[in-house]
Amino acid sequence: MPAPRNKLKAALKAGKLQTGLWLSLANSYSAELLGDAGFSWLLIDGEHSPNDLQTIMQQLQVLRFSESSVLVRPPIGETWIIKQLLDAGAQSLLIPMVETREQAEVLAKAVRYPPHGTRGVGAGGARASRFSYIADYTATADAEILLMVQVESMKAVEAIDEIATVDGVDCVFIGPADLSADMGFLGNPYAPEVTAVIEGAIKRILKHGKAVGIYMANPELAKHFINLGATFIAIGNDAGLLTQGSKQLRAIYE
């Protein structure tokens, strides 16, 4: 039996639009609820949310049978944590703050087994191989891992051609919040100057045949970037939905 098919990786390779939601509440109950909401994908965030390996694994467990694909974003792109997340069952990773080709190359190796990578061979007793019930896991896992790298600074944008050409990087994801801050527009990711940089970045990424992702909660700008070729679109987060819904409900009775 081979490793489970990564339908998100296949969809992005085919150029199909995939819209989804950040999971930042660090809670398996709310994750399970959103697993039935019909999003193309859900991302368990470990960078800006109070998640650790245990809470991430719990959410992977409750989302196992969700129709939504599941990704994990670790707090940092270190080999040790990537190894743990993969063995815990994550097949798709979004790595924050990637600024150079060298970083991207290290990450691409970290998600692959030798001889093509540096991932430690220990999934036989881990959740990734269903505790060895997937007999061919190590022989087939590499092909089903989806690696996304996140560009969030002008240094990263300047190196985007080098990053996008790294073998093993499947998608380059643009983070407007940090990028806008780096450009001097803290708190204003919709500034025209930021939009212009993103437009240029999208064109350059597509030129190298890689999928383009972006976090864009503004529907009009999201549609604009989709029209330019972005296919992996984060349209919000669970905490935001709860906040928005709470305000709307309270306003009815004010």
Side-chain angles (χ1 to χ4, degrees):
M1 181 190 300
R5 179 175 179 269
N6 190 327
K7 64 179 183 179
L8 178 59
K9 182 172 183 174
L12 291 176
K13 189 174 182 178
K16 296 179 180 178
L17 177 64
Q18 303 289 291
T19 55
L21 200 69
W22 246 235
L23 300 182
S24 57
L25 293 176
N27 185 284
S28 60
Y29 204 69
S30 56
E32 185 176 22
L33 183 156
L34 289 167
D36 290 324
F39 292 99
S40 303
W41 56 266
L42 299 167
L43 181 141
I44 304 167
D45 185 29
E47 183 185 16
H48 294 299
S49 303
N51 274 305
D52 58 20
L53 183 61
Q54 287 291 327
T55 61
I56 288 171
M57 186 177 67
Q58 288 163 8
Q59 289 169 83
L60 288 170
Q61 289 172 323
V62 300
L63 291 169
R64 177 179 172 184
F65 297 110
S66 171
E67 289 298 313
S68 302
S69 296
V70 184
L71 307 93
V72 176
R73 180 168 71 168
I76 191 170
E78 293 286 349
T79 300
W80 66 269
I81 195 168
I82 290 172
K83 183 190 308 184
Q84 288 188 316
L85 291 173
L86 293 177
D87 283 354
Q91 279 190 300
S92 300
L93 299 177
L94 173 62
I95 309 298
M97 293 293 181
V98 177
E99 294 188 317
T100 67
R101 178 183 180 86
E102 290 72 24
Q103 280 181 282
E105 289 175 335
V106 169
L107 297 171
K109 289 182 178 180
V111 301
R112 293 170 166 175
Y113 285 119
H116 304 294
T118 59
R119 180 182 176 185
V121 184
R127 186 173 177 273
S129 69
R130 309 268 165 85
F131 309 100
S132 290
Y133 284 107
I134 301 176
D136 298 327
Y137 178 81
T138 53
T140 58
D142 288 3
E144 301 301 334
I145 300 297
L146 172 65
L147 175 63
M148 298 186 178
V149 296
Q150 192 162 345
V151 296
E152 307 177 75
S153 67
M154 284 306 299
K155 179 179 179 180
V157 170
E158 289 164 4
I160 214 163
D161 293 290
E162 290 77 19
I163 292 170
T165 53
V166 171
D167 179 42
V169 170
D170 300 293
C171 177
V172 180
F173 185 94
I174 302 166
D178 282 288
L179 177 60
S180 59
D182 189 57
M183 292 177 62
F185 297 96
L186 179 63
N188 185 16
Y190 310 133
E193 295 87 345
V194 178
T195 298
V197 169
I198 293 172
E199 290 171 345
I202 290 174
K203 293 174 183 176
R204 290 165 63 194
I205 296 165
L206 291 173
K207 182 177 68 175
H208 299 293
K210 299 298 174 72
V212 176
I214 191 166
Y215 192 113
M216 185 46 62
N218 180 301
E220 293 305 313
L221 271 179
K223 291 175 183 176
H224 173 62
F225 295 136
I226 290 169
N227 289 335
L228 288 178
T231 52
F232 181 86
I233 314 294
I235 55 177
N237 64 77
D238 53 0
L241 289 179
L242 185 59
T243 300
Q244 183 181 11
S246 301
K247 289 179 178 178
Q248 290 175 344
L249 181 62
R250 185 189 67 202
I252 295 173
Y253 300 97
E254 288 182 342

